Amino acid sequence: MVRTTDRQTSVLRAIDWWTVAIYIALLIFGWVSVCGASYTYGDTDIFSLSTRSGMQIVWIGTSLFLGLVLLLLDDRFYDTFAYVIYAALLLLLFLTIFNPHEIKGSRSWLVLGPLRLQPAEFAKFATALAIAKLMGGYNFNIQRWKDFAAACGVVLLPMLFIIAQKETGSALVYLSFFLMFYREGMPGSILFTGVAMVIYFVVGIKFEHVTLFQTPTSMGVFIVLLLVQIFSSIMVRVYCRQKKAMWLMLSASLGVTSLFLLCSNYVIHFDIVWVQLSLALVMVGYLLYAWLRTRLNNYLFIAAFALGSLTFFYSADYVLNHVLEPHQRVRINVLLGLDEDLNGAGYNVHQSEIAIGSGGLQGKGFLNGTQTKLKFVPEQDTDFIFCTVGEEEGFFGSAGVLILFLLLILRLIHLAERQPFGFGRIYGYCVLSIFLFHVFINVGMVLGLTPVIGIPLPFFSYGGSSLWGFTFLLFIFLRIDAGRNLVHNHAL
């Protein structure tokens, strides 16, 4: 029998210290960035608790303490109480919906005296634990629709509660779990469908008001309907192994479309979108006929993909123009390049781009950034903190930070792949998916490449909730990985 003290000593020896070193390096660079972003000319003490840089030291210190506590807990605790932790956070998320305190239009914060906590940040690790518990079971098979629907339900439930708190950005983070689903065997067609929907939305909305040649046809709608037909034809080749049917569908689609396009351009002007819609519906009818004739369900799924694509595109257009609030619509238009609006929705991104560009290769130096010191960039120490890195540390510093995040992601992949049980592997991929989503969206947001949805950069953005939440995510996984080593060593 191993004594508790011996077990704790073994745990500390079994910890992956490379990951801990990367974590500490990110904390240090993060504090330097918070200090640079929040510093005001004339400040004499950056360590004072009255400043954001001083408070960030408190959050870092408490995060290190929480990390140590998480490491000293038995790794079986996380498996055993995964559902209990998930249920507790769900209850907290639900109660937060009725929170009377509204901060920047969001009800996602709980105010406990001087302390403000955001339950959505902690719900990420709770959801990851619940998903790992569910999918790590012996009878779970993601290829079964019933099991896959159950896993999706675990992810979507906290999303709905967070959306009800008017915190859409934090809710979108939960879509990162689908990367883990794909690693665990989710059909690639589902992931492809998600990518296709994004393409439909961007292309359709961006070119909606551009006419095609000399015809009254919308180029955006034309391209989307053509893509639906092309994608469906290729899926017949990939999933039904019918090369001849693919070429037949492509030839009919492109041939008829080209013929009517020439007619509309040179003979009589008319909107050929109706022709394309008819072609798409005929294609769906052909797929349903092939399904009835062969009883091969893949034909039915491709028909559902085509119909779903059409429904999504037209409903997305309706939601954008008739459901979304004006400021939300403007943000999307700015992102797609339809509006510039440098004084409104595009102001944050424009100022952050100026700050990053002014840093050059080597940066202006610690506390010497002019854009950030003069507070030109809103939320520059939280959501837009990466612009401080770019201005003060330059291209080299920004690249160094991104390399650190890349090393963390690669290390998490390595740790996840060496787990002997499904629970540890699935939780590990949940963690790296969340980190990857945050880094990609946040940095892309600052550079004007992704939507401004207001999510923090891990270990950099100011605040205790996000820092604690990311620490919980990472150190629970480190403890699970250390437990793997202990099981292996005791077995020997």
Side-chain angles (χ1 to χ4, degrees):
M1 183 176 180
V2 182
R3 292 181 300 174
T4 304
T5 54
D6 293 338
R7 182 174 177 82
Q8 292 174 350
T9 302
S10 300
V11 167
L12 296 178
R13 289 177 180 174
I15 291 298
D16 184 72
W17 289 104
W18 285 108
T19 304
V20 175
I22 297 172
Y23 167 77
I24 293 175
L26 288 170
L27 288 180
I28 293 172
F29 282 116
W31 180 81
V32 171
S33 300
V34 169
C35 188
S38 60
Y39 178 78
T40 303
Y41 288 121
D43 285 348
T44 57
D45 188 4
I46 60 176
F47 299 101
S48 171
L49 294 182
S50 62
T51 63
R52 290 212 163 194
S53 55
M55 280 303 301
Q56 189 70 359
I57 293 178
V58 174
W59 302 133
I60 290 174
T62 52
S63 294
L64 292 172
F65 173 75
L66 286 173
L68 179 61
V69 172
L70 294 170
L71 292 177
L72 294 179
L73 290 174
D74 194 303
D75 58 293
R76 292 167 294 187
F77 171 85
Y78 303 112
D79 189 347
T80 304
F81 293 98
Y83 290 145
V84 176
I85 296 172
Y86 176 72
L89 263 298
L90 276 184
L91 178 61
L92 192 59
L93 286 176
F94 178 73
L95 294 176
T96 308
I97 297 174
F98 308 99
N99 171 32
H101 301 283
E102 187 169 308
I103 300 175
K104 296 180 181 179
S106 170
R107 293 181 177 272
S108 62
W109 295 87
L110 290 178
V111 181
L112 307 172
L115 185 64
R116 296 190 307 180
L117 292 176
Q118 192 174 22
E121 294 294 334
F122 302 100
K124 296 171 189 174
F125 85 85
T127 304
L129 285 173
I131 281 287
K133 177 74 171 180
L134 174 67
M135 297 180 60
Y138 291 111
N139 296 323
F140 186 90
N141 184 355
I142 200 170
Q143 300 289 342
R144 289 199 298 260
W145 284 104
K146 181 180 179 181
D147 290 349
F148 179 63
C152 289
V154 172
V155 173
L156 295 177
L157 193 55
M159 278 188 69
L160 294 176
F161 288 163
I162 295 171
I163 291 174
Q165 299 169 8
K166 301 180 181 179
E167 190 64 32
T168 309
S170 296
L172 291 176
V173 174
Y174 287 77
L175 295 178
S176 64
F177 285 102
F178 282 85
L179 294 176
M180 179 275 297
F181 288 158
Y182 180 67
R183 163 60 184 83
E184 292 300 314
M186 181 185 74
S189 56
I190 296 178
L191 193 62
F192 172 75
T193 300
V195 174
M197 299 302 175
V198 174
I199 295 174
Y200 298 153
F201 181 80
V202 173
V203 173
I205 301 303
K206 187 174 180 64
F207 300 104
E208 181 181 12
H209 300 293
V210 179
T211 56
L212 186 66
F213 303 128
Q214 303 299 319
T215 71
T217 304
S218 166
M219 181 181 290
V221 180
F222 174 85
I223 294 175
V224 169
L225 294 178
L226 192 60
L227 285 175
V228 172
Q229 297 169 46
I230 293 174
F231 289 161
S232 300
S233 301
I234 295 175
M235 290 173 74
V236 168
R237 171 67 178 88
V238 174
Y239 295 107
C240 301
R241 309 294 183 187
Q242 293 295 323
K243 186 176 181 180
K244 183 177 179 180
M246 179 195 72
W247 286 117
L248 175 64
M249 293 168 66
L250 281 176
S251 300
S253 174
L254 298 177
V256 173
T257 299
S258 300
L259 179 64
F260 277 92
L261 181 59
L262 291 173
C263 181
S264 177
N265 196 36
Y266 294 107
V267 181
I268 181 172
H269 297 314
F270 63 93
D271 191 349
I272 65 171
V273 164
W274 297 106
V275 176
Q276 286 189 294
L277 270 175
S278 300
L279 282 172
L281 293 176
V282 168
M283 188 174 289
V284 170
Y286 169 77
L287 291 169
L288 292 175
Y289 167 75
W291 170 61
L292 292 173
R293 183 172 57 87
T294 63
R295 293 300 178 181
L296 184 61
N297 288 333
N298 286 346
Y299 282 114
L300 181 61
F301 296 148
I302 298 172
F305 166 82
L307 279 176
S309 297
L310 297 174
T311 303
F312 168 81
F313 173 67
Y314 282 103
S315 60
D317 182 73
Y318 177 82
V319 169
L320 178 67
N321 293 300
H322 299 93
V323 177
L324 291 182
E325 297 293 333
H327 71 277
Q328 296 172 322
R329 197 158 51 242
V330 169
R331 283 186 176 183
I332 294 174
N333 289 337
V334 169
L335 176 68
L336 297 178
L338 300 176
D339 297 327
E340 194 168 1
D341 193 23
L342 298 182
N343 294 320
Y347 178 80
N348 293 19
V349 175
H350 181 63
Q351 293 298 329
S352 71
E353 290 173 340
I354 293 175
I356 291 174
S358 67
L361 282 176
Q362 298 181 347
K364 296 180 179 178
F366 182 54
L367 301 183
N368 290 324
T370 53
Q371 289 292 116
T372 50
K373 298 303 160 294
L374 297 176
K375 313 301 181 185
F376 279 110
V377 185
E379 309 297 337
Q380 61 187 23
D381 55 359
T382 52
D383 299 340
F384 282 83
I385 195 166
F386 191 72
C387 73
T388 305
V389 179
E391 185 178 32
E392 295 192 347
E393 310 302 328
F395 173 80
F396 294 138
S398 301
V401 169
L402 293 179
I403 289 173
L404 273 177
F405 277 116
L406 176 61
L407 291 175
L408 177 63
I409 295 299
L410 293 176
R411 195 65 193 169
L412 290 175
I413 293 175
H414 171 71
L415 298 184
E417 286 295 332
R418 74 182 187 183
Q419 299 305 308
F421 303 111
F423 178 81
R425 184 186 68 252
I426 294 166
Y427 182 80
Y429 272 101
C430 288
V431 173
L432 75 90
S433 296
I434 292 171
F435 277 115
L436 186 63
F437 186 92
H438 269 273
V439 174
F440 179 80
I441 295 297
N442 183 275
V443 174
M445 180 178 72
V446 172
L447 297 176
L449 301 176
T450 57
V452 179
I453 62 174
I455 61 174
L457 184 63
F459 312 122
F460 274 71
S461 296
Y462 172 80
S465 291
S466 65
L467 189 52
W468 289 356
F470 290 126
T471 298
F472 269 92
L473 270 169
L474 183 61
F475 276 78
I476 288 175
F477 182 45
L478 289 177
R479 181 60 187 88
I480 293 172
D481 179 68
R484 174 203 68 86
N485 288 331
L486 288 174
V487 169
H488 178 71
N489 291 335
H490 290 320
L492 293 177

